[in-house]
Amino acid sequence: MKTTTKKKTLRWGAMALALAALAGCATTENALKDANTLLQEREADKLLPVTNLSPYSLALGRFGRMLDVYKEGDPVIYMQTRSILDATNLSSPLVGAEIPGDITEMVRTAVNRIGARVVYVPYHPDYLVSQAQLGAKFGVTMPDFLITGALTEFDRAIAGAGRVNSAGIEFGKGNGKTTLGGDVKRTAIYSALALDLNLVSFSTQQMVPQVQASNVVKVLNFSSEDNASLGFYGDAFGFKLEGKYLQGRHSAIRTLVDLSVLELVGKATNTPYWRCIPNGTPDPVVIENMRAAYNGLTPELKLGLVQVTLRKYGEPVQVTQQYDDQTRQALEKVYAQRFASLGAVDVMTWQGFEPLFFGVPMSWDTAQAQIPGAAPAGAAAPAGAKAGT
């Protein structure tokens, strides 16, 4: 009697576990249904064209407006590229064509996003020759700079982490033996893609020293796996749920291209391009180039540059290359409002002029420019800026 009662209990327990497992299957079916709904929505969205923008595409547009401010009156810069290819050979079909083999068009698009002060000059000699044979006449624009480079690194699984949680229970004997188990698995793997770009002077065919961009982007490959099983009376059933999330390598490369072109042209023009990027870090190459250039100027040219910079702050000063009352008042006003914590400075030195140059207001930057020691606008200063003798 006791044995029969025990078997009945085991059977009822097994049925309860089976119902629980079936409920789990229902949950799985709901999850799959939701996944199919999301997939259908995504496929529907694909019917509508969208702008292909990377996180740094807006920064390139901002940089173009920055050049309008810093390079007002300067001649247009003409750019051209050589073919920007894959140097890792992982774009070959023999290894699965994991990355694009030619990203030249991405680089051209990034240069063209900047605006009218940086113009891309196409190079299609076959097309021009064919058109010339038909009687077409062309003007030739020679570029100032040539962009060279390649995809130089693709390291799979540079870092990874995984976690597995498993649990199981077994009870009963013989035909009443029942097992219940499950496990949860999560794996994250990072790969790295690197792009190198260099700038070449077209007239001399020499690389411009220290004007290059070498950046790396990490790509995440995340996978999840959930398993559950139930077995009784020698039979078993279960379910398995898997999911994967893989960031697109092509999209990551476009982000890499946009950032690298921004850095390359920013260095070439000696402008604070990092202000176009949220929480951007000042570039020591640009800072050092400007320091050397400023220290090499005569006192008259320094005062002229100070007056030109003050005009970018909206101060109506005349470029006289003289330290007149108008210039003095404008300097004291700007430094009192924006750089009060610096105290008294001498704008004839680079240390005094640096915050003025790199802190020129931009239309998108409502907060104070990222200058060490800069104070919020409107702060009072015990002393203003002056011109040394």
Side-chain angles (χ1 to χ4, degrees), residues 33-310:
K33 181 179 178 181
D34 293 340
N36 288 330
T37 301
L38 291 173
L39 181 60
Q40 292 172 2
E41 291 176 355
R42 183 174 178 84
E43 292 297 327
D45 290 340
K46 286 183 179 180
L47 298 176
L48 300 175
V50 295
T51 303
N52 192 4
L53 298 175
S54 82
Y56 293 101
S57 297
L58 294 178
L60 287 167
R62 289 177 175 177
F63 180 66
R65 298 194 292 275
M66 175 178 282
L67 290 179
D68 290 337
V69 175
Y70 274 96
K71 302 300 177 181
E72 183 181 3
D74 286 6
V76 172
I77 298 174
Y78 295 98
M79 292 277 190
Q80 199 172 81
T81 65
R82 293 183 61 186
S83 295
I84 312 297
L85 307 176
D86 166 36
T88 67
N89 203 35
L90 290 173
S91 59
S92 171
L94 298 177
V95 293
E98 299 183 61
I99 57 178
D102 189 338
I103 62 169
T104 309
E105 204 61 37
M106 288 188 185
V107 175
R108 291 170 179 164
T109 301
V111 172
N112 204 37
R113 286 191 196 279
I114 295 174
R117 293 192 176 273
V118 179
V119 176
Y120 185 83
V121 180
Y123 178 67
H124 302 297
D126 295 340
Y127 171 80
L128 295 178
V129 170
S130 299
Q131 292 296 319
Q133 290 174 348
L134 297 176
K137 295 182 179 180
F138 303 98
V140 178
T141 301
M142 303 305 292
D144 299 302
F145 298 105
L146 183 66
I147 298 176
T148 67
L151 287 169
T152 53
E153 297 178 23
F154 180 29
D155 295 324
R156 297 187 193 89
I158 59 170
R163 180 176 180 179
V164 178
N165 294 329
S166 301
I169 185 172
E170 179 179 317
F171 55 90
K173 295 181 179 180
N175 292 334
K177 183 178 179 180
T178 304
T179 59
L180 178 66
D183 60 80
V184 177
K185 183 179 180 180
R186 301 289 184 268
T187 305
I189 299 175
Y190 279 104
S191 300
L193 288 160
L195 172 66
D196 285 32
L197 295 180
N198 283 281
L199 201 66
V200 176
S201 170
F202 188 81
S203 60
T204 65
Q205 287 297 297
Q206 296 177 351
M207 281 191 176
V208 183
Q210 293 189 315
V211 178
Q212 78 287 316
S214 181
N215 295 301
V216 178
V217 64
K218 291 182 179 179
V219 182
L220 173 65
N221 185 349
F222 176 80
S223 62
S224 64
E225 182 179 319
D226 299 330
N227 297 287
S229 62
L230 173 66
F232 59 95
Y233 298 127
D235 297 318
F237 68 92
F239 67 90
K240 181 179 181 180
L241 182 63
E242 293 185 355
K244 284 191 175 182
Y245 172 75
L246 176 62
Q247 290 179 320
R249 291 172 184 152
H250 289 63
S251 296
I253 289 173
R254 183 176 294 277
T255 300
L256 201 57
V257 167
D258 287 349
L259 172 62
S260 298
V261 168
L262 175 65
E263 179 183 349
L264 195 73
V265 183
K267 287 180 177 178
T269 56
N270 282 323
T271 48
Y273 67 89
W274 55 87
R275 291 182 59 194
C276 303
I277 308 171
N279 302 316
T281 303
D283 191 321
V285 172
V286 175
I287 294 174
E288 177 58 26
N289 288 344
M290 283 304 305
R291 183 196 66 80
Y294 190 75
N295 289 338
L297 298 176
T298 64
E300 292 78 16
L301 290 177
K302 286 182 179 180
L303 278 171
L305 182 55
V306 168
Q307 290 167 335
V308 169
T309 307
L310 285 171

Side-chain angles (χ1 to χ4, degrees), residues 325-339:
D325 289 340
Q326 193 179 43
T327 301
R328 177 183 56 79
Q329 292 172 5
L331 278 172
E332 290 177 352
K333 175 184 175 182
V334 170
Y335 274 78
Q337 289 181 343
R338 296 177 176 270
F339 315 111

Side-chain angles (χ1 to χ4, degrees), residues 316-382:
V317 299
Q318 300 298 317
V319 183
T320 62
Q321 297 187 357
Q322 301 294 323
Y323 188 62
D324 49 32
D325 289 340
Q326 193 179 43
T327 301
R328 177 183 56 79
Q329 292 172 5
L331 278 172
E332 290 177 352
K333 175 184 175 182
V334 170
Y335 274 78
Q337 289 181 343
R338 296 177 176 270
F339 315 111
S341 61
L342 299 178
V345 298
D346 182 2
V347 294
M348 300 300 286
T349 66
W350 171 247
Q351 289 77 12
F353 178 68
E354 179 182 6
L356 185 71
F357 180 78
F358 287 126
V360 171
M362 294 294 143
S363 59
W364 66 85
D365 189 12
T366 56
Q368 177 58 35
Q370 300 176 13
I371 301 296

